[in-house]
C-alpha cells in the first residue's frame, strides 16, 4: 500500500506517518519548498519517508505529485491550523483550508478516482454550537475564518464523493494534543509554561479565556481513526472525540499540579489572547466512530496533560543543561 500525507511535518502528519510505516505502507510526504526546513517532528523516521515538494497553492504541482506517486490513499492534513492566525490572515487561511482541498481533490479526480481520500475537518466548524454534544448531524456555525474555511473543505469533500464516486471521508476531529503540538497552541503553551516556571526560566504565564471548554484527546490515538476511515467499504463523515470536555483552567491546574505548583500564583489573563468571537464549549459524541470503525482512544485527559508536561520538562532540562 502506498499513502501520501500532506502536512507530514505537522503533529498529526508525524504520528500518522509512524502508524502507516508500522503497517508496512510506503509513505510519501508532501512538503513545501522553503528557505528553512522544519523536519523536527519527523527526523526520527525521515530516512523511511519519501518526501516530495508540492504546494496546496499550486494546482499543477498537486497534479504532478498525484501522477508521480499514484497513491492508494491520500491524507490531507496540510492546513493553516492556528485559529487566531485566521483573523489576521483570513485570505491565506481560505486559500489553504478551503480552496487547497478543492485543488487536491481535482488532482485525484483527473488522475485516478479510485484513490481514497481523507479530509481533516475540525470541531471548530461547530463554533457557536447548536446542540450539545455535537454529532455528525449537528449543524455547523463556525465562529472564525478558520472554522468557515474548514466547513468549505468539509462540504467540497462530500461533494466530490457524491459527484465523482470518490472514496472521500471527513474526520471531524475535536481538539487533539501531544508533546509535538506547536508552542502557539494553548495546551502546549501551558505545559511548556509550567515547566519553564518550575525550572526558574519564567515566572508568569499569560493566557486568555480560562473558562473555554474543549474536548481534548491524544493525537496518537486520533490518527488511528483517520486510517480506519479509509479501510471502510463506504466513505462517511465521522466525529472523533473523547466524549468529555474540560476547561482551560482544568488543563492548567493539572499541568502545574504535576510540578507541585499552584497555577493561580502564576497564570495571568491577557486580553490579547481572547478571541473576537469565542467558541465557549465543544463536546463531541464519537459513538458512530466507536461502533462502525471499532475505534477506541487509549490516553485519558489527565494522562495527556502529564505526558506533555513531562516531555517539556525533559526537553527544557536538556536544552538548558539543568
Amino acid at each position: 500500500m502506498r499513502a501520501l500525507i500532506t502536512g507530514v511535518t505537522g503533529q498529526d502528519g508525524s504520528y500518522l506517518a509512524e502508524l502507516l510505516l508500522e503497517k508496512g505502507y510506503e509513505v510519501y510526504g508532501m512538503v513545501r519548498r522553503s528557505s528553512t526546513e522544519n523536519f523536527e517532528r519527523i527526523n526520527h523516521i525521515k530516512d523511511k519517508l519519501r518526501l516530495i515538494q508540492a504546494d496546496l497553492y499550486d494546482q499543477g504541482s498537486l497534479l504532478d505529485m498525484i501522477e508521480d506517486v499514484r497513491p492508494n490513499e491520500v491524507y490531507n492534513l496540510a492546513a493553516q491550523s492556528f485559529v487566531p492566525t485566521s483573523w489576521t490572515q483570513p485570505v491565506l487561511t481560505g486559500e489553504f483550508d478551503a480552496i487547497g482541498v478543492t485543488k487536491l481533490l481535482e488532482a485525484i479526480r483527473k488522475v485516478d478516482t479510485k484513490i481514497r481520500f481523507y479530509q481533516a475537518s475540525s470541531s471548530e466548524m461547530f463554533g457557536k454550537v447548536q446542540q450539545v454534544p455535537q454529532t455528525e448531524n449537528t449543524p455547523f456555525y463556525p465562529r472564525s475564518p478558520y472554522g468557515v474555511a474548514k466547513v468549505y473543505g468539509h462540504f467540497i469533500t462530500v461533494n466530490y464523493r457524491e459527484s465523482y464516486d470518490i472514496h472521500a471521508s471527513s474526520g471531524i476531529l475535536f481538539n487533539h494534543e501531544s508533546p509535538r503540538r506547536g508552542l502557539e497552541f494553548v495546551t502546549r503553551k501551558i505545559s511548556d509554561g509550567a515547566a519553564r516556571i518550575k525550572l526558574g526560566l519564567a515566572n508568569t504565564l499569560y493566557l486568555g479565556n480560562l473558562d473555554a471548554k474543549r474536548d481534548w484527546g491524544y493525537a496518537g490515538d486520533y490518527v488511528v481513526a483517520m486510517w480506519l476511515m479509509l479501510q471502510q467499504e463506504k466513505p462517511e463523515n465521522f466525529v472523533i472525540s473523547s466524549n468529555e470536555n474540560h476547561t482551560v483552567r482544568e488543563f492548567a491546574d493539572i499541568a502545574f499540579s504535576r510540578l507541585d505548583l499552584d497555577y493561580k500564583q502564576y497564570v495571568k489573563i491577557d486580553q490579547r489572547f481572547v478571541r473576537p468571537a469565542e467558541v465557549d464549549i465543544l463536546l463531541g459524541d464519537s459513538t458512530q466512530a466507536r461502533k462502525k470503525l471499532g475505534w477506541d482512544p487509549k490516553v485519558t485527559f489527565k494522562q495527556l496533560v502529564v505526558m506533555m508536561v513531562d516531555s517539556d520538562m525533559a526537553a527544557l532540562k536538556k536544552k538548558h543543561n539543568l
Side-chain angles (χ1 to χ4, degrees):
M1 291 289 286
R2 184 177 297 168
L4 169 67
I5 303 171
T6 73
V8 71
T9 60
Q11 170 189 256
D12 292 7
S14 64
Y15 281 112
L16 179 60
E18 284 177 349
L19 175 70
L20 297 179
L21 287 170
E22 288 171 8
K23 294 184 178 297
Y25 276 67
E26 189 178 335
V27 181
Y28 286 76
M30 186 187 91
V31 294
R32 300 179 69 199
R33 171 72 181 91
S34 65
S35 56
T36 56
E37 294 180 333
N38 180 17
F39 295 146
E40 180 183 355
R41 296 184 182 94
I42 59 170
N43 271 333
H44 62 297
I45 54 171
K46 190 181 171 188
D47 60 336
K48 299 177 183 176
L49 302 174
R50 302 190 183 196
L51 301 181
I52 185 167
Q53 285 188 359
D55 197 310
L56 290 180
Y57 266 151
D58 188 345
Q59 178 77 66
S61 71
L62 298 178
L63 189 58
D64 289 344
M65 177 180 67
I66 298 297
E67 285 183 332
D68 291 344
V69 176
R70 293 279 175 161
N72 302 101
E73 299 171 357
V74 171
Y75 296 86
N76 184 36
L77 309 186
Q80 190 298 98
S81 60
F82 189 45
V83 175
T85 297
S86 75
W87 272 289
T88 57
Q89 299 185 57
V91 176
L92 175 94
T93 301
E95 289 285 355
F96 271 121
D97 300 2
I99 304 303
V101 185
T102 314
K103 291 176 179 176
L104 190 52
L105 283 165
E106 264 296 279
I108 289 172
R109 181 181 73 83
K110 289 180 178 179
V111 174
D112 183 2
T113 57
K114 294 293 188 289
I115 294 171
R116 297 193 170 199
F117 179 79
Y118 170 83
Q119 167 61 14
S121 288
S122 168
S123 59
E124 286 286 335
M125 301 189 303
F126 294 120
K128 188 176 181 180
V129 298
Q130 302 301 289
Q131 65 183 59
V132 180
Q134 294 90 55
T135 71
E136 291 81 3
N137 298 316
T138 301
F140 299 135
Y141 194 142
R143 296 267 280 174
S144 66
Y146 171 81
V148 172
K150 278 294 185 179
V151 170
Y152 178 105
H154 177 83
F155 277 121
I156 201 67
T157 300
V158 172
N159 185 257
Y160 270 68
R161 176 202 306 167
E162 296 176 351
S163 301
Y164 305 114
D165 198 29
I166 294 174
H167 192 296
S169 292
S170 279
I172 307 173
L173 271 59
F174 279 67
N175 296 63
H176 47 289
E177 318 296 320
S178 77
R180 299 179 194 174
R181 190 56 136 158
L183 283 167
E184 68 272 24
F185 289 86
V186 67
T187 49
R188 182 77 194 289
K189 190 175 177 181
I190 292 171
S191 62
D192 177 76
R196 286 179 182 277
I197 289 169
K198 181 66 176 181
L199 295 172
L201 300 171
N203 51 33
T204 306
L205 175 61
Y206 294 99
L207 298 174
N209 181 9
L210 296 183
D211 296 315
K213 291 184 176 181
R214 293 292 182 270
D215 185 324
W216 278 301
Y218 172 51
D221 286 338
Y222 284 35
V223 298
V224 176
M226 299 177 187
W227 176 76
L228 286 169
M229 286 180 215
L230 296 200
Q231 311 317 306
Q232 304 306 302
E233 184 178 341
K234 293 181 178 179
E236 284 187 71
N237 304 325
F238 289 95
V239 162
I240 305 299
S241 63
S242 73
N243 295 1
E244 57 183 61
N245 63 10
H246 301 271
T247 62
V248 174
R249 191 185 305 277
E250 287 177 77
F251 197 108
D253 187 19
I254 294 172
F256 278 80
S257 295
R258 174 67 174 173
L259 303 176
D260 297 317
L261 298 172
D262 181 355
Y263 82 95
K264 296 175 185 175
Q265 296 180 19
Y266 305 99
V267 172
K268 307 295 182 186
I269 304 301
D270 188 328
Q271 290 301 315
R272 291 178 302 163
F273 302 126
V274 176
R275 296 182 180 188
E278 183 59 87
V279 173
D280 296 311
I281 178 170
L282 290 175
L283 174 61
D285 179 355
S286 55
T287 300
Q288 178 171 293
R290 296 176 193 233
K291 286 183 177 179
K292 291 188 176 181
L293 302 178
W295 178 70
D296 182 30
K298 309 298 183 189
V299 178
T300 67
F301 173 68
K302 186 172 183 179
Q303 288 171 335
L304 172 64
V305 180
V306 168
M307 177 198 305
M308 293 176 69
V309 172
D310 289 353
S311 174
D312 279 324
M313 278 291 287
L316 288 168
K317 284 181 179 178
K318 182 178 179 180
K319 180 179 179 181
H320 296 278
N321 295 314
L322 298 172

